[in-house]
Amino acid sequence: MQNGRKWLLLSFKLIIPVLILCAMACWFLGSLGRGGLLGLIIGLCCIVLAGVIAGIPLARFIANTPCNLFFPDARFSRPLPLYSIPETKRTSGLYEEAISGYAKIAADYPQEMRPYLEMMDIAIVELHDTERAEQIFQQARSIFTKPEDREILEKKYAWILECLDEEAAD
């Protein structure tokens, strides 16, 4: 997106010189009877120069568009979070270690919602600690302020509590 803005800004800066060169070419080529061969050469040079000035950013835009499809500009500044370690601890029955692993991921990657959802799930389903799950839920609500994110948190929290109620009824 940033490259598109830069290209647009550059093209607006280049429009004026290109228009001036085209006007000069028209003037020189229009005065063929007066300028003769020199007017023809200067007019054609103005057209070529205008084409070069306009062609470079246009060629860059045409080349970068499909290139960004295969080589996007987005770069990860660090590796993605490793969820496998706390997941393994959870399946092994080490619930406190799994929660601490997810808490570390949540601290290292504050934009990730999954660690909070997993910690709530462990606290309710495995440890039957609704107070702790409520604390995790409130912490996540304070971090994720977008309405869409809060809706996801609330739905997941309600679903986990519903699953716990169904287990207690059985």
Side-chain angles (χ1 to χ4, degrees), residues 5 7 23 75 98 110 122 131 145 150 168:
R5 288 185 190 141
W7 177 82
R75 301 279 186 245
I122 293 171
E131 292 176 16
T145 57
R150 286 192 171 186

Side-chain angles (χ1 to χ4, degrees), residues 8-43:
L8 190 62
L9 183 64
L10 180 64
S11 65
F12 280 130
K13 288 180 180 178
L14 294 177
I15 281 178
I16 294 171
V18 168
L19 290 176
I20 291 172
L21 285 169
C22 287
M24 288 174 53
C26 288
W27 188 77
F28 280 114
L29 292 175
S31 63
L32 269 178
R34 293 175 299 218
L37 187 60
L38 183 62
L40 178 67
I41 292 173
I42 293 174

Side-chain angles (χ1 to χ4, degrees), residues 43-102:
L44 290 176
C45 287
C46 288
I47 290 174
V48 169
L49 191 57
V52 169
I53 290 173
I56 291 173
L58 186 62
R60 184 177 295 133
F61 174 73
I62 291 170
N64 281 343
T65 303
C67 182
N68 286 336
L69 185 66
F70 297 106
F71 304 105
D73 288 340
R75 301 279 186 245
F76 295 110
S77 59
R78 56 188 176 163
L80 297 174
L82 292 174
Y83 288 104
S84 59
I85 296 171
E87 285 172 357
T88 304
K89 292 187 187 233
R90 180 179 183 177
T91 56
S92 300
L94 304 170
Y95 304 123
E96 291 298 328
E97 288 87 349
I99 287 178
S100 66
Y102 283 121

